[in-house]
Amino acid sequence: MSDVKNAFDSRLITVSISQLLPSRMVQANALSTSKYLSILASIRELGIIEPLAVHHEPVSSNGQPPKYLILDGHLRLSALKQLGAEHALCLLSTDDEGFTYNRQINRLTPIQESKMIIQAIERGVSAERIAEVLNVNIDRIRLRQNLLKGIAPEVIDLLKTRMVGQPVFQILRKMKPMRQIEVAEMMISANCYTGRYAQMVLTATRPEDLTDSKNSTEGVSAENILKMEREMERLYHDYRLVEDTLGETMLVLVVAKGYLSRLLRNEAISAYLQRFEPDLERELVGIMDVVTADARSLERE
């Protein structure tokens, strides 16, 4: 085990904002999204909860302060700048590849978010206060607070790390606990957590497995149910074929993106492109942003 290299330094460091180098551009429209406004409100009220992930850039010979490349936390950095902060709490990585970092983390799932909101409310924090800090509508907080009501504990455990669509929980409540568990296992097997998939399974569910027979879909023949099951099998087969090649393709793109990123951090190359090929530089930056976004989206699924 002594040969295993730690991915991060065990200590958090405080870094001057001026020493942080973004690895990608934050689009102007991103600063008006609900996600950014939620981050801004959270930092304003509670400070930085999740440190920025950074990598130490090679030390320059001209005596300038060391620079740190941001691997994760660009929106948090924008929020800190908007709030006039001079320093940021950072987690130092031993790897300068942002995709590697993002492969090692799990984003907050609906079930995890629901549990955090429930715990905060149990500790005396009002739903209104939570909504204010997160800069979201109070209805969203109420929805998350009641998300798991009527859901079997086994299902909560099965889906706690999955990005499950909001409508899924509404559909699961129409089923009895044993059927809920079966559906959760089917969703995991098919790697599909959408309301449409859950609705298809609900349609094929026998009335005795429902909490209310009125929830059953009348007029669906056994032949149509069999067709739906076959279609689900075919979709799952097609999904597996795509999944087998998607990872390899994304890896090639991420490696290429890393190479381009290093090229553009070269001052001479960057200055040349800005002067003689500004359109090309914008296109390269745009491509890198797309690859980064796709890689992160892939890891969250």
Side-chain angles (χ1 to χ4, degrees):
M1 294 299 292
S2 59
D3 295 331
V4 177
K5 181 182 178 182
N6 290 329
F8 293 94
D9 193 291
S10 59
R11 297 170 298 173
L12 294 175
I13 60 174
T14 300
V15 179
S16 171
I17 297 293
S18 61
Q19 293 175 254
L20 295 173
L21 300 175
S23 58
R24 64 179 178 86
M25 295 176 59
V26 175
Q27 301 298 327
N29 57 5
L31 303 182
S32 59
T33 62
S34 59
K35 178 180 179 180
Y36 175 75
L37 295 176
S38 175
I39 292 173
L40 184 66
S42 177
I43 293 177
R44 182 189 294 116
E45 295 288 336
L46 306 175
I48 282 287
I49 297 176
E50 183 182 358
L52 284 67
V54 300
H55 180 263
H56 201 297
E57 289 289 272
V59 179
S60 61
S61 58
N62 56 8
Q64 295 295 321
K67 299 292 185 180
Y68 297 86
L69 179 68
I70 299 177
L71 304 181
D72 186 80
H74 290 83
L75 289 181
R76 275 166 277 159
L77 176 62
S78 297
L80 287 170
K81 288 181 177 179
Q82 184 173 336
L83 295 172
E86 297 181 356
H87 297 86
L89 193 63
C90 299
L91 186 63
L92 187 60
S93 171
T94 58
D95 194 320
D96 68 346
E97 182 50 67
F99 181 67
T100 304
Y101 166 77
N102 282 282
R103 287 181 61 87
Q104 308 304 323
I105 61 173
N106 292 318
R107 303 298 178 182
L108 201 62
T109 68
I111 289 179
Q112 291 168 339
E113 183 182 0
S114 175
K115 287 186 174 182
M116 290 179 63
I117 289 174
I118 292 172
Q119 290 175 358
I121 291 175
E122 289 176 347
R123 292 171 182 167
V125 182
S126 68
E128 290 76 10
R129 179 58 176 165
I130 296 174
E132 179 184 352
V133 171
L134 297 180
N135 197 34
V136 297
N137 192 290
I138 183 64
D139 292 337
R140 174 188 170 94
I141 301 301
R142 296 295 187 194
L143 195 63
R144 285 290 189 261
Q145 182 184 1
N146 300 315
L147 186 72
L148 305 180
K149 289 185 177 179
I151 305 298
E154 295 86 353
V155 173
I156 295 174
D157 188 60
L158 285 170
L159 300 179
K160 63 184 179 183
T161 60
R162 317 283 177 167
M163 298 304 294
V164 183
Q166 175 70 36
V168 170
F169 298 97
Q170 299 173 8
I171 296 171
L172 287 175
R173 291 190 194 96
K174 299 178 181 180
M175 308 176 194
K176 293 181 179 179
M178 288 304 298
R179 181 57 173 168
Q180 288 185 16
I181 296 172
E182 290 178 356
V183 174
E185 291 174 342
M186 290 171 63
M187 297 179 80
I188 292 172
S189 177
N191 195 33
C192 184
Y193 307 96
T194 65
R196 180 172 297 180
Y197 183 94
Q199 185 63 49
M200 287 179 61
V201 179
L202 175 66
T203 302
T205 299
R206 297 185 298 271
E208 56 267 29
D209 289 330
L210 301 174
T211 56
D212 188 344
S213 59
K214 295 179 181 179
N215 291 325
S216 62
T217 305
E218 299 179 357
V220 180
S221 65
E223 182 182 356
N224 287 334
I225 291 176
L226 182 60
K227 286 182 179 179
M228 283 192 293
E229 291 177 346
R230 288 175 178 171
E231 180 66 14
M232 290 166 65
E233 284 186 15
R234 188 185 68 79
L235 289 174
Y236 178 60
H237 179 263
D238 292 345
Y239 166 80
R240 295 299 299 180
L241 289 177
V242 173
E243 185 183 45
D244 289 341
T245 59
L246 182 60
E248 182 178 348
T249 301
M250 184 56 65
L251 179 60
V252 172
L253 289 173
V254 168
V255 171
K257 173 253 177 183
Y259 177 72
L260 285 174
S261 179
R262 287 177 174 84
L263 281 180
L264 294 180
R265 292 205 299 270
N266 182 296
E267 293 183 1
I269 294 176
S270 179
Y272 176 86
L273 289 174
Q274 289 177 11
R275 182 176 180 181
F276 299 105
E277 298 288 349
D279 292 339
L280 175 60
E281 183 190 36
R282 282 194 295 271
E283 287 296 323
L284 290 175
V285 172
I287 291 172
M288 290 191 296
D289 287 344
V290 170
V291 172
T292 299
D294 286 349
R296 290 180 176 176
S297 176
L298 179 64
E299 289 304 312
R300 293 172 191 173
E301 293 177 353

